[in-house]
Amino acid sequence: MKWNLRKKSIRCLLFLSILLASVTHAQNIPLPKECRFHLGDQMDWANPSFNDSGWDTKPLGKSWSATGMKENIYAWYRIKIVIPSGLKTAIAGGMGIKLNLGKIDDVDQTFFNGKLIGQTGSLPPHYQSKWDSERIYMVPENDLLWDQENVIAVRVFSLDPGGVGMYQGDYHYGPVQWSDYISIAHSITQTDHNGFTTKIKCTNKSNNGFNGTATYWISDKANRKLFSESRPVIVKPAAGSETVIVFSDYKPSSEHIFNVGYQITGDHDSAIVKNEQVYLADKNITIQVAGEPKPVVENKVPDLFVAAPFQDQQLLGYIGKRMSQNLEERLLKVDEPGIINGYLQRPGNHPWIGEHVGKYLEAACNVWKNTHDTSLKKQMDRMMYELINTQLDNGYLGTYTPDQYWTSWDVWSHKYNLYGLLAYYTTTGYQPALEACKRMGDLLCTTFGNNPGQRDIISAGEHVGMAATSVLDPMVELYRYTGEKKYLDFCYYILDAWEHPNGPGIISTLLTTGSVHKVANGKAYEMLSNLVGLMKLYRVTGDGRFLSPVLIAWRDIVTHRLYITGTTSSFERFQDDAVLPGEVNDDIGEGCVTVTWIQLNLNLLAVSGELKYVDQIEKSVYNHLLGAENPETGCVSYYTPLMGKKPYSCDITCCTSSVPRGIAMIPYCTFGNIKNTPTLMLYEPAVYRDRFSTGKNNINLLLQIESDFPEHGGAVITVKINQTARFPISLRVPSWCSSFTAAVGGTVYKGKANEYLYLERTWKPGEKIMVSFKMPVQIITGGSSYPGQIAFQKGPQVLALDDSLNKELLKTYPPGLGRIIWAEKPSGKNHSGLLPKQWIGDQAYIANINEKENKKSGLSLILVPYADASQTGGSVKVWLPLVLSGR
């Protein structure tokens, strides 16, 4: 499905199910906080008489990981309750009780006293995940044992070992009431002059009728009621019958942000359904740009590389096209209601829904600085304004209800809101965005700490606390842009919390073992996020103790855990040394991990200027980052395999939000200054601007890069300046190239791989630098994960076989090159004419297949850049069972 078919209109908010409204029941009884738990699968575990005394206990509402298990995980929960006979009087018409079991990852079958009462999702072989669905099951009155023990047995299946089980409540039971068989949905529709109407639809899921009253209100941000009215609600006693209520059209006088709510009560029982949400009436709100503010606190470690401002870069060519597609197919078509509704109407529909709007805002701000796209500006203004207007008076800006504050992914969501709103502030100078960040920061400082009455941040997040403590990164930035020391103190508290007995021990473990695999539970995304924060803390404080563990982690990842496409992790964790599986079922290269790895290298590049970090960024960008976003649809691959079909999806996931954010960061490493020297890092077609002084002369520099990189090596760089002047220009010499030369004014300069080539001379306006280098196809061996197989790399790009382009070949060598064959090394010549018309990208290379070592077969492998492969649904192979002729 194309992404543009999934786009939601901003004129009408989606219908919202009753599960997103607050429902008040009489006599709801909570389930026990702990239950019996066991890995494995035996159907007699559903039997209420089964002896589970030897099982472990596990708290409800907390996900867990099946460490050491790869896939097809089964586990059982057994929950025991005694139902008081006093509840009988509340059960109307013998309808029994309703059992709320929250959300379960992925599939469940639930038994009550041995009887199957419900299933959500589908088990293999017709597996269908329903990890995000609420489990609400009805138990008939005849199946209840009054004043005796009843056993709820929940059989859970998960396809993979990450985040399994009953991970989110509420957990309770109570009598079935009208709100259990009448589903309620609502929509708000914009009318002229920023007016709006609200519609409520009640649908009967039973044959019981309903009579009640709907009360509707509109209030301003100060909760002053502006409008209210009531309507009767009558639903016929027939399954499927519907009643629609439309309230009066409201025309705002001057306000444009409102609280819109309704409450429905029944005439015959005490259940109440109440909903209230924030609504922005003016969808075209515009925020004026005041300018980009500078940090209040300068970093104590000076930057040796400073990227050119995004507005001074015009990226063309391959990367430029991909960045345009990221804007047009992903950001401008983002599911706005999907990523903001959890704030407009709490609670959010899953635990980490809160991270997406902050990720979007950071990506949008970076793209807008580079493009000044007017549609994007309107969109990001609207999203930012809605977000800050959902912040509570105490500074809370999460998607949870008060009983769930600071559990699961709540701090994590605040982290990304800090990211997004700080990005908006530093892009536009809009002060309310910074004030919202300060209120969040103040709340975090008050809530967490080592003082009496404060919470432990380790206990407030998943993955041994690393999810929550990764808020370190934006808290450092908040300190830099406010100068308020309490935020810096909070950063030091996080480092202290790492070493608590229940903490991840990030610094201590890295210093003693040198391995990220041994830190906490090895969760790659969260750990890298913490390391990025630690790196920023080093930059602002100058404390070298913070740099050492980061460098240890970097070396360990590059040496033992990095894929040739510039990503890391399998099953979202750092694996053991040299364990780099690449199949679809290995869940490799989580998009969030790729982006955070790039962030870490950007920080290291800034403080050191060393080209080894550019190499890592370039490898990630040209391969796994761009390979995770389909250039045609803008859909994103959560995990992006080296072997198999990339599972692109436009659904809202952490990676769907992270990958566009990573693409928006590319201008941080294209062109800038090394020790105040204009320095070119990438050789894509582009236009870069710089301004500096040489003595008494103010120089306005424009570099125009003309090339067909990455297809071929070389570029023509036109130096446009406002006056003749002497100054240096620096060119990066990539590690993968050979024979690098730069010719200007009759002088030829020779460069060495992985070094800078400095051209210091007196420049005249319009002079050209003729850059030439070779990009021979390199052969990479498969290591212990793919012994006897090889991959090809041309320049920074890893090449891949896409089976949709190799149908003739695969007829001869089924299934998918499953045996060793002889081949010739690709020459590097582009055969773009072999690509179909709809293909986005213009690179294709061939490797001739031989029947024997030197006997040609007439068949060829067609290889394309890994980043382009699978865009039309083809299966990918990076590792190939080839023996090269003549080797």
Side-chain angles (χ1 to χ4, degrees):
M1 183 181 293
K2 294 288 186 70
W3 176 252
N4 56 10
L5 297 181
R6 301 178 60 86
K7 186 179 181 183
K8 312 296 191 297
S9 169
I10 64 171
R11 293 183 59 83
C12 181
L13 293 181
L14 293 178
F15 277 112
L16 302 170
S17 76
I18 190 172
L19 298 177
L20 294 180
S22 69
V23 183
T24 302
H25 286 285
Q27 293 182 272
N28 270 345
I29 300 173
L31 295 180
K33 293 183 179 181
E34 290 189 335
C35 64
R36 293 290 183 177
F37 170 84
H38 197 67
L39 276 170
D41 189 39
Q42 293 185 33
M43 293 309 297
D44 61 352
W45 294 348
N47 192 321
S49 62
F50 174 77
N51 182 5
D52 57 20
S53 60
W55 285 18
D56 295 332
T57 58
K58 186 172 286 292
L60 293 176
K62 194 170 182 64
S63 64
W64 50 274
S65 298
T67 305
M69 305 180 72
K70 285 195 172 182
E71 56 187 25
N72 295 332
I73 313 299
Y74 281 93
W76 284 70
Y77 293 79
R78 284 172 58 90
I79 307 164
K80 299 171 184 179
I81 58 175
V82 175
I83 303 175
S85 54
L87 201 62
K88 286 183 179 181
T89 56
I91 295 178
M95 286 191 289
I97 66 169
K98 179 184 71 171
L99 190 62
N100 283 65
L101 296 179
K103 296 183 179 182
I104 299 174
D105 190 347
D106 289 338
V107 181
D108 78 287
Q109 289 180 324
T110 296
F111 302 83
F112 190 90
N113 291 334
K115 290 185 177 181
L116 180 67
I117 58 170
Q119 174 174 328
T120 305
S122 300
L123 297 166
H126 305 294
Y127 167 73
Q128 182 182 16
S129 174
K130 289 292 184 179
W131 65 272
D132 198 25
S133 298
E134 294 276 355
R135 272 57 171 186
I136 302 175
Y137 299 129
M138 305 300 175
V139 184
E141 184 177 8
N142 292 339
D143 293 337
L144 304 178
L145 300 177
W146 298 104
D147 298 321
Q148 301 177 53
E149 184 177 84
N150 296 262
V151 178
I152 304 161
V154 184
R155 182 191 188 201
V156 175
F157 171 81
S158 179
L159 192 66
D160 62 71
V164 184
M166 300 178 68
Y167 67 90
Q168 181 184 5
D170 289 337
Y171 302 106
H172 58 80
Y173 68 93
V176 175
Q177 296 186 296
W178 71 262
S179 55
D180 298 317
Y181 57 83
I182 302 293
S183 69
I184 301 171
H186 81 272
S187 64
I188 302 177
T189 303
Q190 189 173 4
T191 60
D192 58 352
H193 304 296
N194 292 329
F196 57 93
T197 61
T198 298
K199 179 170 69 176
I200 297 175
K201 182 170 72 172
C202 301
T203 304
N204 200 335
K205 298 184 292 183
S206 72
N207 291 316
N208 299 298
F210 172 70
N211 289 357
T213 302
T215 303
Y216 173 70
W217 65 87
I218 300 170
S219 59
D220 62 15
K221 277 292 293 176
N223 278 324
R224 291 186 293 263
K225 191 165 287 187
L226 305 174
F227 175 81
S228 66
E229 64 182 9
S230 296
R231 300 283 179 86
V233 182
I234 302 173
V235 183
K236 294 180 180 179
S241 62
E242 294 181 351
T243 296
V244 176
I245 302 165
V246 180
F247 294 101
S248 301
D249 187 0
Y250 179 75
K251 301 294 185 187
S253 55
S254 58
E255 308 92 341
H256 42 247
I257 194 87
F258 302 93
N259 292 319
V260 179
Y262 64 85
Q263 177 174 290
I264 301 177
T265 56
D267 293 346
H268 303 295
D269 66 39
S270 58
I272 299 172
V273 173
K274 183 177 181 180
N275 177 83
E276 188 168 48
Q277 71 173 77
V278 176
Y279 177 73
L280 176 64
D282 183 2
K283 302 300 184 185
N284 293 311
I285 190 167
T286 300
I287 306 298
Q288 298 300 317
V289 176
E292 295 187 19
K294 293 184 178 181
V296 175
V297 177
E298 293 292 336
N299 285 330
K300 288 188 177 179
V301 179
D303 288 347
L304 295 184
F305 173 73
V306 179
F310 283 28
Q311 53 268 36
D312 290 339
Q313 303 187 44
Q314 182 183 0
L315 302 178
L316 309 168
Y318 181 77
I319 282 182
K321 290 177 183 177
R322 282 303 199 98
M323 291 189 68
S324 294
Q325 288 155 343
N326 187 47
L327 166 64
E328 295 162 7
E329 299 299 329
R330 166 66 17 203
L331 293 177
L332 289 178
K333 295 177 181 178
V334 73
D335 180 357
E336 286 190 48
I339 67 175
I340 193 66
N341 275 350
Y343 291 96
L344 300 178
Q345 181 185 3
R346 297 177 174 98
N349 63 0
H350 65 72
W352 51 92
I353 193 67
E355 74 185 65
H356 302 292
V357 66
K359 288 181 174 181
Y360 160 82
L361 283 173
E362 186 190 17
C365 287
N366 281 335
V367 172
W368 182 79
K369 286 190 291 187
N370 183 241
T371 65
H372 277 70
D373 184 90
T374 54
S375 296
L376 182 64
K377 179 62 165 57
K378 286 183 179 180
Q379 185 188 59
M380 69 191 225
D381 286 352
R382 178 169 59 244
M383 299 281 277
M384 179 281 306
Y385 196 77
E386 286 181 313
L387 179 62
I388 65 173
N389 277 285
T390 66
Q391 188 171 35
L392 303 185
D393 291 341
N394 66 354
Y396 181 80
L397 193 53
T399 60
Y400 289 58
T401 51
D403 59 312
Q404 296 293 316
Y405 283 175
W406 312 124
T407 62
S408 191
W409 298 90
D410 203 8
V411 178
W412 178 264
S413 295
H414 282 78
K415 160 194 164 180
Y416 278 107
N417 285 333
L418 285 166
Y419 258 133
L421 292 174
L422 281 170
Y424 192 91
Y425 169 69
T426 58
T427 298
T428 65
Y430 185 61
Q431 192 67 28
L434 179 63
E435 293 302 318
C437 292
K438 290 170 65 176
R439 288 194 292 273
M440 277 189 281
D442 292 348
L443 181 60
L444 289 168
C445 291
T446 302
T447 302
F448 298 103
N450 294 323
N451 296 321
Q454 290 186 300
R455 292 174 177 257
D456 174 17
I457 196 168
I458 300 299
S459 302
E462 303 290 337
H463 303 295
V464 200
M466 290 192 296
T469 61
S470 66
V471 76
L472 171 66
D473 177 355
M475 287 298 282
V476 173
E477 292 299 299
L478 185 60
Y479 167 63
R480 291 186 67 226
Y481 280 92
T482 63
E484 296 189 28
K485 187 175 177 295
K486 59 186 173 184
Y487 304 136
L488 180 62
D489 292 339
F490 186 79
C491 295
Y492 282 111
Y493 158 70
I494 288 176
L495 269 58
D496 180 65
W498 284 350
E499 305 304 326
H500 286 177
N502 62 333
I506 294 175
I507 292 177
S508 59
T509 306
L510 286 170
L511 292 177
T512 55
T513 70
S515 172
V516 293
H517 175 59
K518 298 183 184 301
V519 175
N521 64 352
K523 188 66 163 59
Y525 179 18
E526 286 75 8
M527 194 189 310
L528 285 170
S529 298
N530 279 275
L531 292 173
V532 171
L534 187 60
M535 190 65 204
K536 289 188 176 180
L537 189 60
Y538 161 69
R539 294 172 69 181
V540 79
T541 64
D543 191 331
R545 295 175 301 170
F546 305 152
L547 177 62
S548 296
V550 175
L551 294 177
I552 290 170
W554 186 90
R555 285 192 295 268
D556 178 58
I557 292 168
V558 170
T559 305
H560 300 298
R561 290 164 241 290
L562 194 68
Y563 287 86
I564 62 172
T565 49
T567 192
T568 183
S569 82
S570 171
F571 298 111
E572 302 190 3
R573 284 163 169 75
F574 291 117
Q575 301 299 315
D576 212 341
D577 291 5
V579 176
L580 297 167
E583 311 297 319
V584 171
N585 291 338
D586 294 317
D587 291 352
I588 78 151
E590 182 186 1
C592 301
V593 173
T594 305
V595 172
T596 315
W597 172 243
I598 290 172
Q599 285 182 282
L600 186 63
N601 280 279
L602 286 170
N603 276 272
L604 288 164
L605 170 63
V607 299
S608 71
E610 293 185 44
L611 287 179
K612 62 183 179 182
Y613 302 120
V614 184
D615 278 355
Q616 295 303 330
I617 297 165
E618 182 182 60
K619 179 188 296 185
S620 299
V621 165
Y622 274 102
N623 295 292
H624 227 89
L625 178 66
L626 294 180
E629 185 173 286
N630 190 312
E632 180 184 2
T633 64
C635 295
V636 168
S637 180
Y638 191 113
Y639 308 112
T640 311
L642 304 190
M643 311 288 282
K645 181 180 177 181
K646 297 177 185 175
Y648 291 120
S649 170
C650 284
D651 294 338
I652 298 173
T653 69
C654 56
C655 297
T656 311
S657 298
S658 283
V659 169
R661 178 170 160 251
I663 294 173
M665 293 177 187
I666 292 175
Y668 280 121
C669 66
T670 51
F671 171 78
N673 280 266
I674 290 283
K675 299 178 181 178
N676 299 316
T677 297
T679 301
L680 183 64
M681 295 293 194
L682 303 184
Y683 291 93
E684 291 264 0
V687 176
Y688 301 113
R689 292 174 175 83
D690 197 6
R691 288 163 288 277
F692 54 90
S693 298
T694 58
K696 296 181 180 180
N697 298 320
N698 295 320
I699 305 300
N700 293 323
L701 171 67
L702 183 148
L703 294 183
Q704 181 175 334
I705 319 300
E706 298 173 273
S707 77
D708 55 5
F709 184 86
E711 179 184 343
H712 296 111
V716 178
I717 304 172
T718 303
V719 181
K720 298 183 180 182
I721 47 178
N722 58 329
Q723 57 186 293
T724 298
R726 184 175 182 83
F727 58 89
I729 292 177
S730 177
L731 306 176
R732 167 186 171 240
V733 183
S735 60
W736 39 256
C737 77
S738 61
S739 305
F740 188 102
T741 62
V744 59
T747 302
V748 178
Y749 301 84
K750 293 183 178 181
K752 293 182 180 180
N754 216 30
E755 292 185 0
Y756 291 108
L757 178 61
Y758 287 90
L759 312 179
E760 183 163 8
R761 60 191 305 279
T762 300
W763 298 94
K764 298 176 183 177
E767 282 195 293
K768 297 182 183 295
I769 307 170
M770 311 300 292
V771 176
S772 175
F773 53 87
K774 295 179 180 179
M775 297 193 302
V777 174
Q778 300 177 45
I779 299 165
I780 306 170
T781 58
S784 59
S785 294
Y786 290 91
Q789 302 193 46
I790 62 172
F792 298 113
Q793 179 177 328
K794 182 175 181 291
Q797 294 178 304
V798 172
L799 304 181
L801 179 144
D802 182 315
D803 67 5
S804 70
L805 305 175
N806 288 273
K807 294 178 181 177
E808 291 301 316
L809 173 72
L810 297 178
K811 287 179 183 178
T812 306
Y813 295 98
L817 295 180
R819 61 185 175 86
I820 299 293
I821 58 177
W822 292 92
E824 297 176 1
K825 179 180 174 181
S827 65
K829 180 181 178 181
N830 191 2
H831 295 266
S832 58
L834 298 173
L835 298 171
K837 289 183 179 180
Q838 76 273 21
W839 191 266
I840 296 177
D842 54 10
Q843 291 175 264
Y845 306 95
I846 63 171
N848 293 319
I849 300 298
N850 294 343
E851 292 181 3
K852 295 181 180 179
E853 181 173 1
N854 293 305
K855 185 178 179 182
K856 296 186 181 299
S857 66
L859 296 172
S860 299
L861 287 166
I862 299 174
L863 303 170
V864 295
Y866 171 77
D868 296 349
S870 205
Q871 62 179 266
T872 58
S875 183
V876 172
K877 276 188 178 291
V878 166
W879 296 114
L880 302 167
L882 303 179
V883 175
L884 297 183
S885 301
R887 283 175 60 89

